[in-house]
Amino acid sequence: MHRYRTHTCGALRASEIGETARLSGWCHRIRDHGGVLFIDLRDHYGLTQVVVDPDSPAFKLAETVRAEWVIRVDGRVRSRPAGTENPDLPTGQVEMYATEIEVLGPAAELPLPVFGDVEYPEETRLRYRFLDLRREKLHKNIMTRGAIIDAMRRRMKTQGFFEFQTPILTASSPEGARDFLVPSRLHPGKFYALPQAPQQYKQLIMMSGFDRYFQIAPCFRDEDPRADRLPGEFYQLDLEMSFVEQEDVFAAVEPVITGVFEEFAEGKPVTQNWPRIPYAVSMQKYGTDKPDLRNPIEMQDVSEHFRGSGFKVFARLLEDPKNRVWAIPGTGGGSRAFCDRMNSWAQGEGQPGLGYIMFRREKLSDEAMTDPTHIQSQIALRQLHPDPKNADYKHGGLDYVAGGGPVANNIGPERVEAIRLQLDLKEGDAAFFVAGNPEKFVKFAGSARTKVGEELKLVDFDRFELAWIVDFPFYEWNEDDKRVDFSHNPFSMPQGGMDALNGQDPLTIKAFQYDIACNGYEIASGGIRNHRPEAMVKAFELAGYDEETVKERFGGMYRAFQYGAPPHGGMAAGVDRIVMLLCGVTNLREISIFPMNQQAQDILMGAPNEASPKQLRELHIRTNIQEK
């Protein structure tokens, strides 16, 4: 018999009844039922119920066992008594009657329980991560992560991609975040950088004649932590292809991502025909470049209905051509209580408020009842009859859908009706408004859209909505440095090529860059690459880099472009975010095996820590810590 086990704790079935078996695992839960002890013995594979009664030679030792002790149990497999079977357990038809127990590893008092799913402070969970990882939900998430990565690899290879590993110690690159620097002992005063992404290497792989590359790549960025990005490091499904246009990349990637989501969605619907949404359209409709399309709300520009109106706040704003008024339709939100609640929420977000119109049914005024040309009468006729000219006003009804609230009172019924028709709203609905320069209010507008959709229960959370976001601007204005800067990936191809770089306002140039959005998260980003050396130099020149700087910082790529560079493109999908979505959690800590805390510290291993004087001398480094 094996020293520790003949079966795992998830293996015993009715077919083993009557056999002698040996199990090893953790004491998950211990119950005393009138002197008979029940031990739920757990290992990586499952759980088996062990029974020890006073007649067993193992009973005396079993009484001393506590939660999370590691034990070996020998015994006989038998049927559970009728009525005590557990259909939720694979081993639920049987139990083991213990005849011998050996303690392999006693456990001290637990700082957090493994049994159950009680939430504990982050510091406790991360300091005792080895205990946290024993908990069923987190353990399952980590195993799901591995299965998802296996599925990605399998599907990528099916698509004809080959896996390569690129260097970890490399040179600094302008990927948009701070590098982690590694001092060189052999080259005093010089530093390696951990890769923010394998961007240059994967392009060089295409230069080297390999056609389709991928890897599950570790990436390192010295950024402030946030819930949807791990501090310090993350993993991405990185890929690159030669002799391709944008559509070829889409055709290769879509089935991989769709297939992975379908495989792990547990029956939830997954988008089949991904929409292509231009960046500018996404910002205007959804207030973000990573829209959650489970929310059906689409914002619309209603500026013309307020221009020159009696609502002076908006009318004056619109005198500046940069300013606009956007409407957020709220189906079913036409109550005073909800509108006031949204207004209070906006004020809590640092806004002056959130204008609104409530749509409700109102009776015609006496004046309108006697004058068919009255505006209320005309609106009522249009609402009640497809062709008002042929309608019999006397039989048209006595009420109509009208707008209520301060905004409606100031702009008048005709403009209110025009807004209602544009937004396709009805009785019981509402419209909310944000105004000003869209560049400044767009983020708030997107948050308001999300808030309205969730509060009115318009969002279908039980699905995965995927979309391509395309036509990103190549450059953006860097207000801090007062200059043009890259808005996305600096190695992408500008739409229009050299002609655009030479003749267009840089801030109007679009790039062959694209993202994948899913349920409000950016889960992938990529582009068709700028593979001509003169175009590369020009693109960086517009962002403030001279030719010598380009050659110095990106010499490997620049040289490679001189010797026959194929047109190429690719992208990278965030493994952590995809796993997070498929596991149904909102924090990457729940799908990462040993994450740092929100202060970018590994409190389990004690990193970062101080280097010894000897280490610093070898690296030719002296610390100069500023007092706070």
Side-chain angles (χ1 to χ4, degrees):
M1 186 178 285
H2 188 273
R3 170 71 177 88
Y4 296 113
R5 59 188 180 190
T6 59
H7 300 76
T8 69
C9 293
L12 294 178
R13 300 291 187 272
S15 58
E16 276 85 34
I17 289 173
E19 294 183 9
T20 298
R22 173 173 287 175
L23 305 179
S24 289
W26 286 264
C27 295
H28 187 63
R29 189 167 58 140
I30 303 168
R31 291 161 287 144
D32 186 341
H33 287 191
V36 179
L37 298 177
F38 292 84
I39 302 172
D40 291 335
L41 195 66
R42 182 196 76 245
D43 66 7
H44 171 78
Y45 302 97
L47 187 145
T48 297
Q49 178 173 283
V50 174
V51 182
V52 196
D53 65 20
D55 295 331
S56 168
F59 185 77
K60 187 173 182 181
L61 181 58
E63 285 186 303
T64 68
V65 167
R66 297 292 178 264
E68 293 308 299
W69 282 34
V70 180
I71 63 173
R72 172 185 62 79
V73 180
D74 290 0
R76 188 177 72 256
V77 182
R78 67 187 191 186
S79 296
R80 290 198 186 195
T84 67
E85 301 91 343
N86 185 348
D88 296 329
L89 274 182
T91 61
Q93 297 297 312
V94 300
E95 61 187 17
M96 176 186 273
Y97 179 77
T99 56
E100 183 178 324
I101 293 176
E102 177 187 2
V103 176
L104 301 176
E109 184 177 349
L110 299 176
L112 75 162
V114 173
F115 176 73
D117 195 27
V118 179
E119 186 56 59
Y120 264 70
E122 179 185 66
E123 182 172 354
T124 301
R125 292 185 61 189
L126 296 185
R127 185 177 300 278
Y128 299 97
R129 189 64 166 178
F130 46 86
L131 292 177
D132 200 26
L133 287 164
R134 296 180 193 175
R135 302 168 88 183
E136 182 180 9
K137 185 176 179 181
L138 184 55
H139 200 87
K140 180 182 177 183
N141 286 351
I142 299 302
M143 292 304 297
T144 300
R145 179 192 180 101
I148 289 171
I149 291 173
D150 285 346
M152 288 177 173
R153 278 199 168 97
R154 184 178 71 249
R155 293 174 187 279
M156 290 299 291
K157 291 177 180 178
T158 299
Q159 291 279 53
F161 287 85
F162 301 92
E163 187 168 10
F164 302 97
Q165 285 74 44
T166 52
I168 297 299
L169 291 177
T170 182
S172 184
S173 176
E175 289 289 331
R178 296 184 190 90
D179 287 316
F180 278 105
L181 298 178
V182 180
S184 170
R185 178 181 60 83
L186 297 176
H187 304 280
K190 294 187 177 181
F191 295 81
Y192 302 101
L194 302 182
Q196 294 187 34
Q199 181 67 53
Q200 294 188 67
Y201 283 115
K202 70 177 179 179
Q203 290 192 245
L204 289 167
I205 288 172
M206 298 300 102
M207 305 302 106
S208 304
F210 300 97
D211 197 67
R212 289 192 168 200
Y213 138 94
F214 88 98
Q215 72 169 315
I216 306 298
C219 302
F220 307 88
R221 298 181 185 179
D222 189 6
E223 295 183 311
D224 293 336
R226 60 185 200 233
D228 67 340
R229 174 169 289 169
L230 290 169
E233 63 186 84
F234 60 94
Y235 285 81
Q236 62 187 34
L237 169 61
D238 201 54
L239 63 101
E240 199 75 9
M241 309 163 65
S242 283
F243 303 108
V244 292
E245 296 181 301
Q246 186 168 279
E247 288 298 321
D248 300 307
V249 178
F250 290 1
V253 171
E254 249 184 70
V256 172
I257 301 299
T258 300
V260 168
F261 270 87
E262 286 179 329
E263 187 173 341
F264 295 93
E266 298 183 339
K268 294 179 182 178
V270 178
T271 307
Q272 296 301 305
N273 299 308
W274 296 15
R276 313 279 176 85
I277 307 173
Y279 169 85
V281 173
S282 182
M283 298 301 289
Q284 202 286 310
K285 282 187 175 182
Y286 311 113
T288 177
D289 59 0
K290 43 183 181 290
D292 185 348
L293 299 181
R294 298 173 303 173
N295 182 348
I297 294 175
E298 293 185 356
M299 297 186 291
Q300 295 190 40
D301 189 325
V302 292
S303 302
E304 294 309 309
H305 304 308
F306 286 96
R307 202 178 303 280
S309 73
F311 195 65
K312 298 303 182 185
V313 175
F314 287 1
R316 289 195 190 101
L317 278 172
L318 292 171
E319 291 173 4
D320 183 338
K322 291 183 179 179
N323 291 338
R324 313 298 296 171
V325 178
W326 289 3
I328 305 165
T331 303
S335 71
R336 172 73 69 180
F338 179 71
C339 291
D340 286 346
R341 194 160 72 247
M342 284 302 302
N343 188 56
S344 297
W345 168 82
Q347 291 170 346
E349 295 292 305
Q351 302 295 318
L354 192 64
Y356 60 84
I357 295 176
M358 302 174 291
F359 292 97
R360 57 203 179 194
R361 191 158 292 279
E362 290 189 359
K363 292 187 179 296
L364 297 177
S365 65
D366 291 341
E367 183 181 0
M369 285 291 294
T370 58
D371 180 4
T373 64
H374 193 281
I375 186 61
Q376 290 182 11
S377 299
Q378 293 299 304
I379 291 172
L381 282 173
R382 287 197 294 270
Q383 290 179 5
L384 293 166
H385 298 282
D387 186 0
K389 290 182 181 178
N390 298 323
D392 182 356
Y393 170 69
K394 293 180 181 178
H395 298 89
L398 301 177
D399 53 14
Y400 70 110
V401 177
V407 173
N409 295 339
N410 279 281
I411 66 174
E414 192 163 12
R415 292 176 186 263
V416 169
E417 177 66 1
I419 290 171
R420 188 188 72 82
L421 291 173
Q422 180 180 334
L423 301 180
D424 193 25
L425 297 176
K426 61 186 185 304
E427 177 185 0
D429 296 341
F432 300 91
F433 304 99
V434 289
N437 186 333
E439 292 182 4
K440 296 179 179 178
F441 73 57
V442 65
K443 184 177 180 181
F444 167 71
S447 297
R449 169 186 173 267
T450 299
K451 183 72 173 176
V452 171
E454 291 179 352
E455 288 286 320
L456 295 177
K457 295 182 170 46
L458 304 176
V459 182
D460 180 1
F461 289 106
D462 291 325
R463 63 189 308 110
F464 294 103
E465 288 287 351
L466 293 147
W468 290 106
I469 310 300
V470 298
D471 298 339
F472 278 83
F474 194 32
Y475 296 105
E476 64 185 4
W477 181 251
N478 185 325
E479 185 61 36
D480 292 336
D481 297 335
K482 306 296 181 187
R483 65 178 178 87
V484 169
D485 207 348
F486 291 109
S487 66
H488 216 263
N489 188 314
F491 300 108
S492 294
M493 177 73 78
Q495 295 183 18
M498 279 297 289
D499 290 342
L501 293 173
N502 284 323
Q504 247 180 270
D505 177 351
L507 296 178
T508 67
I509 298 174
K510 293 184 174 63
F512 286 111
Q513 294 173 342
Y514 36 82
D515 284 358
I516 299 174
C518 180
N519 294 6
Y521 292 92
E522 173 206 318
I523 63 166
S525 184
I528 299 300
R529 313 307 178 191
N530 189 347
H531 70 284
R532 303 295 292 270
E534 66 276 13
M536 177 184 174
V537 169
K538 183 63 177 178
F540 275 90
E541 181 184 291
L542 292 176
Y545 300 83
D546 60 29
E547 185 171 355
E548 289 307 310
T549 301
V550 173
K551 290 179 180 179
E552 179 186 342
R553 296 190 65 178
F554 316 111
M557 191 112 76
Y558 183 83
R559 284 193 301 276
F561 285 171
Q562 311 291 324
Y563 297 100
H568 58 286
M571 67 186 315
V575 170
D576 307 285
R577 288 185 189 172
I578 290 172
V579 175
M580 182 181 75
L581 286 166
L582 288 169
C583 287
V585 297
T586 57
N587 193 305
L588 291 170
R589 178 187 64 193
E590 303 303 322
I591 53 89
S592 304
I593 194 160
F594 292 113
M596 293 186 185
N597 66 9
Q598 289 300 299
Q599 288 73 48
Q601 297 169 309
D602 179 350
I603 56 178
L604 173 61
M605 303 300 288
N609 56 4
E610 294 179 354
S612 70
K614 181 175 182 291
Q615 288 173 313
L616 292 175
R617 283 196 303 272
E618 289 176 340
L619 294 170
H620 311 281
I621 288 176
R622 179 179 300 155
T623 59
N624 182 24
I625 302 171
Q626 302 295 320
E627 290 188 12
K628 294 183 179 180

